[in-house]
């Protein structure tokens, strides 16, 4: 049967329910009823109708063994349609597949990247964990340090209290003790003790300061003393050197003295001859007034030592400032004694004269000292001329033209010889003659 | 399987399937035997069931001879019980007293006089006959105002089918 529904454009099947409005156009019952729901007219001829007016149509289909070409056509159409649909679906699916593959590739890449990221992050996490552990350790350490700090703070408080106790007065300490402990007598006594101890401590501190200051002073003094000691040692060395020189000088002098004595003896013998010729006297004068030996002069000049105030003669010598150090050392016991010894030898007379000259200068310079020393000299000198029978004015010794020896004793002779030489030596000789030279040397 | 068709088939009853079947059948028939003056691109037809674009050539011996217009069919879910949305698209819009410059067509069978017995084929024939019967290229008198105020969908326009001649 090749009849079709104009709504769905499909052929009527054997089992389809076919209906028709009064105009006679046939439709599937579902198709016509749905259309009549929107518009009350026949789809084909637009004649107005309604659901009530629909009539069902029954076909008596002839049963034939032949294959209905219409059916086959319809089936073919359906199949082709389905095929188209399936093809379209296939296309869609393929497209989808492609896109999905792309997506999966993308996801794979992303997954890889993510895995790498995860690895990196794991490494980072490990590092962070280690750090966290380290920090935890540090935190523990800090905790320990904090505990220590707490204990230290407590100690500090305690020490502050102690400091307060040490510094405060009795009453304050008492108050504190009352605050902390019971009000018993022991507290009071303890407080007093504390105060006393603190006071003592303060006193001790002061003493210590003083002692330190003393110590400093002492050290300074010690250093100054040391410096002085060094200086004195130096001086001592110099003195020793000088003393050595002086001893050498003395030796020389003694030898010379002995020589001179021998000469003197010879001279005296010659003089003591009865003839008493003036030639001898002239000779002696020549001998005496001849320039002194060079070495003697030198020694005289070298001498420059401070004088000792033991004798009245010294000022004069000091003013002369030509006294040798060696002589000074010798004259430590008695300068007056020593002086004659040195000047006694006739060769020394020249030196004595020089000394005398300087002495004069000194006298003129220091007026107050001079008269006394001069008086003294005279007093000492006087006895000698009286014994020898000559008067010596003390200054004009040289001016006397002639001395006529009276012979007799050798001692008088020697005295006269000395008188002729010089006033200074004369006065000393007066003394020296009384005490023999030999005696002195033995000393 | 993901496709709008399958969803529709699962959601709706066999009636819907039948409607779809009809559309498929129509398209196959169109491709196989299009109405005179109508050119169908077989490839584009298969892409979507909802949308169909045809080319209409101006019939010989008419004022539109040599011209080609694009006609677009849009089928709603209720097709064939509901009329399709038919408009001219593209740059070439036929100058006709029943065709507005935005492509909307004033034709009674596309709205009030629609019947499920009508098809794409019959609509095409009607439009071609409408164009062919025109003797003067002229826009509708209310064209400018209509174009300004109308909605995109021509089916929402309340048409006045005043000219029975053309």
């Amino acid at each position: 049967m090749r009849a079709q529904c104009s709504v769905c454009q499909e052929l009527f099947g054997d089992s389809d329910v076919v209906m028709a409005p009064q105009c006679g156009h046939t439709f599937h019952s579902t198709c016509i009823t749905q259309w009549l729901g929107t518009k009350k007219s026949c789809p084909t001829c637009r004649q107005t109708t309604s659901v009530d007016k629909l009539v069902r149509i029954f076909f008596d289909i002839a049963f034939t063994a032949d294959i209905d070409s219409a059916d086959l056509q319809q089936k073919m159409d359906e199949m082709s349609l389905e095929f188209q649909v399936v093809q379209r679906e296939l296309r869609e699916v393929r497209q989808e597949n492609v896109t999905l593959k792309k997506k999966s590739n993308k996801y794979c890449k992303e997954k890889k990247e993510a895995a790498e990221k995860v690895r990196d992050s794991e490494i980072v996490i490990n590092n962070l964990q280690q750090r966290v552990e380290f920090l935890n350790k540090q935190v523990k350490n800090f905790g320990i340090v904090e505990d220590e700090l707490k204990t230290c703070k407590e100690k500090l408080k305690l020490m502050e209290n102690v400091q307060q106790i040490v510094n405060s007065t009795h009453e304050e300490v008492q108050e504190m003790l009352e605050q902390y402990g019971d009000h018993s007598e022991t507290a009071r006594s303890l407080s007093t003790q504390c105060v006393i101890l603190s006071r003592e401590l303060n006193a001790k501190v002061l003493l210590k300061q003083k002692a330190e200051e003393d110590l400093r002073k002492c050290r300074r003094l010690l250093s100054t003393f040391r410096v002085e000691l060094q200086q004195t040692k130096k001086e001592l060395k110099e003195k020793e050197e000088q003393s050595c020189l002086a001893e050498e000088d003395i030796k020389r002098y003694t030898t010379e003295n002995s020589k001179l004595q021998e000469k003197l003896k010879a001279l005296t013998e010659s003089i003591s001859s009865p003839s008493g010729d003036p030639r001898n006297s002239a000779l002696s004068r020549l001998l005496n007034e001849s320039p002194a030996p060079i070495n003697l002069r030198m020694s005289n000049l070298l001498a420059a030592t401070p004088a000792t105030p033991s004798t009245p003669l010294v000022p004069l010598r000091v003013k002369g400032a030509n006294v040798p150090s060696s002589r000074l050392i010798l004259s430590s016991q008695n300068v007056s004694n020593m002086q004659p010894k040195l000047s006694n030898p006739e060769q020394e007379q020249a030196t004595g004269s020089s000394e005398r000259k300087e002495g004069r200068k000194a006298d003129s310079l220091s007026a107050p000292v001079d008269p006394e020393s001069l008086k003294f000299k005279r007093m000492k000198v006087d006895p000698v001329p009286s014994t020898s029978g000559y008067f010596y004015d003390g200054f004009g010794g040289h001016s006397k033209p002639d001395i006529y020896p009276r012979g007799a004793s050798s001692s008088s002779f020697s005295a006269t010889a000395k008188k002729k030489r010089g006033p200074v030596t004369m006065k000393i000789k007066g003394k020296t003659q009384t005490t023999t030279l030999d005696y002195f040397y033995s000393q | 399987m993901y496709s709008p068709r399958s969803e529709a088939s699962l959601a709706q009853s066999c009636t819907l399937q039948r409607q779809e079947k009809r559309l498929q059948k129509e398209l196959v028939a169109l491709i196989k035997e299009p109405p005179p003056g109508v050119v169908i691109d077989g490839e584009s037809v298969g892409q979507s069931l909802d949308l169909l674009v045809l080319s209409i050539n101006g019939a010989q011996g008419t004022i539109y001879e040599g011209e080609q217009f694009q006609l677009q069919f849009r089928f709603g879910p209720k097709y064939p019980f509901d009329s399709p949305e038919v408009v001219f698209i593209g740059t070439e819009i036929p100058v006709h007293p029943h065709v507005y410059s935005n492509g909307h067509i004033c034709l009674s069978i596309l709205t009030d006089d629609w019947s499920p017995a009508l098809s794409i084929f019959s609509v095409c024939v009607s439009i071609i006959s409408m164009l062919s019967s025109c003797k003067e290229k002229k826009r509708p008198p209310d064209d400018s105002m209509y174009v300004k105020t109308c909605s995109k969908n021509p089916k929402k326009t309340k048409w006045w089918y005043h000219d029975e001649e053309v």
Side-chain angles (χ1 to χ4, degrees), chain A residues 118-371:
Chain A
V118 165
R119 256 178 255 152
D120 290 348
S121 57
E122 274 178 0
I123 289 163
V124 170
I125 285 164
N126 279 333
N127 286 335
L128 286 173
Q129 276 179 344
Q130 283 176 358
R131 268 196 202 175
V132 165
E133 280 175 20
F134 176 70
L135 286 172
N136 278 333
K137 278 181 189 173
Q138 274 195 337
V139 165
K140 277 181 189 174
N141 287 333
F142 279 131
I144 292 162
V145 170
E146 273 182 7
D147 288 344
E148 281 181 14
L149 191 72
K150 273 183 186 174
T151 51
C152 283
K153 272 182 182 175
E154 283 170 10
K155 278 185 187 175
L156 189 71
K157 267 193 179 178
L158 206 70
M159 293 310 287
E160 275 175 359
N161 284 336
V162 170
Q163 177 79 19
Q164 226 177 330
I165 288 166
V166 168
N167 285 337
S168 55
T169 58
H170 170 80
E171 285 153 20
E172 283 173 357
V173 169
Q174 202 172 337
E175 272 180 29
M176 276 161 65
L177 283 169
E178 278 172 1
Q179 272 182 3
Y180 286 118
D182 51 350
H183 301 261
S184 63
E185 281 294 317
T186 53
R188 261 176 229 168
S189 62
L190 191 60
S191 64
T192 48
Q193 272 185 339
C194 282
V195 171
I196 288 157
L197 283 170
S198 67
R199 275 175 197 165
E200 278 182 13
L201 185 71
N202 286 331
K204 296 286 178 193
V205 165
L206 281 171
L207 278 172
K208 195 192 162 192
Q209 283 178 351
K210 278 181 184 173
E212 278 176 355
E213 280 177 17
D214 286 347
L215 189 67
R216 261 178 251 147
K217 281 178 188 172
C218 286
R219 275 176 186 164
R220 271 180 223 152
L221 281 171
L222 190 67
S223 60
T224 51
F225 283 140
R226 272 177 188 162
V227 172
E228 281 178 19
L229 187 66
Q230 281 181 349
Q231 284 178 355
T232 47
K233 272 180 182 175
K234 277 182 188 174
E235 282 177 11
L236 192 64
K237 270 186 183 178
E238 284 172 12
K239 296 281 160 73
E240 276 174 0
E241 283 170 13
Q242 283 176 359
S243 71
C244 284
L245 286 170
E247 276 174 13
E248 282 173 18
D249 281 350
I250 287 159
K251 277 178 190 173
R252 226 185 295 137
Y253 294 150
T254 47
T255 50
E256 275 179 28
N257 199 12
S258 56
K259 280 177 191 173
L260 285 170
Q261 271 180 340
E262 280 171 18
K263 277 187 185 177
L264 195 66
K265 271 181 187 175
L267 282 171
T268 45
E269 278 169 16
S270 65
I271 290 164
S272 62
S273 63
S275 59
D277 54 348
R279 275 168 59 193
N280 281 342
S281 66
L283 189 70
S284 68
R285 265 188 72 190
L286 272 171
L287 279 168
N288 287 333
E289 291 184 353
S290 68
I294 295 161
N295 55 358
L296 274 176
R297 257 196 226 156
M298 289 299 288
S299 65
N300 221 0
L301 286 165
L302 273 168
T305 44
T308 50
S310 58
T311 57
L313 276 175
V314 169
L316 186 77
R317 303 243 155 205
V318 172
K319 261 81 198 199
N322 276 334
V323 186
S325 59
S326 57
R327 277 186 198 176
L328 239 180
I329 291 154
L330 281 171
S331 67
S332 60
Q333 287 175 332
N334 192 354
V335 178
S336 59
N337 275 344
M338 182 210 75
Q339 284 300 77
K341 285 172 233 159
L342 292 173
S343 55
N344 241 353
E346 286 162 348
Q347 274 83 357
E348 274 188 334
Q349 281 176 346
T351 63
S353 69
S354 71
E355 279 176 12
R356 180 208 55 198
K357 279 172 193 169
E358 281 158 1
R360 269 187 215 161
K361 282 176 191 173
D363 289 344
S364 63
L365 285 164
S366 58
V369 182
D370 280 350

Side-chain angles (χ1 to χ4, degrees), chain A residues 406-423:
Chain A
R406 269 192 273 148
S409 67
S410 62
S411 63
S412 65
F413 240 147
S414 67
T416 52
K418 279 151 208 169
K419 278 169 213 163
K420 284 168 206 167
R421 273 174 244 152

Side-chain angles (χ1 to χ4, degrees), chain A residues 30-79:
Chain A
T30 50
C31 292
I32 188 66
T33 46
Q34 194 177 349
W35 171 244
L36 288 178
T38 52
K39 201 171 187 181
K40 310 277 184 203
S41 66
C42 172
T44 312
C45 66
R46 297 179 194 269
Q47 190 182 335
T48 51
T49 181
S50 66
V51 183
D52 305 337
K53 290 173 182 173
L54 290 175
V55 180
R56 186 165 176 188
I57 309 287
F58 298 96
F59 299 103
D60 287 331
I61 295 151
F63 188 76
T64 52
D66 300 332
I67 300 162
D68 192 3
S69 62
D71 282 353
L72 280 176
Q73 182 68 41
Q74 192 179 349
K75 277 182 185 173
M76 216 174 74
D77 288 351
E78 281 176 8
M79 291 302 286

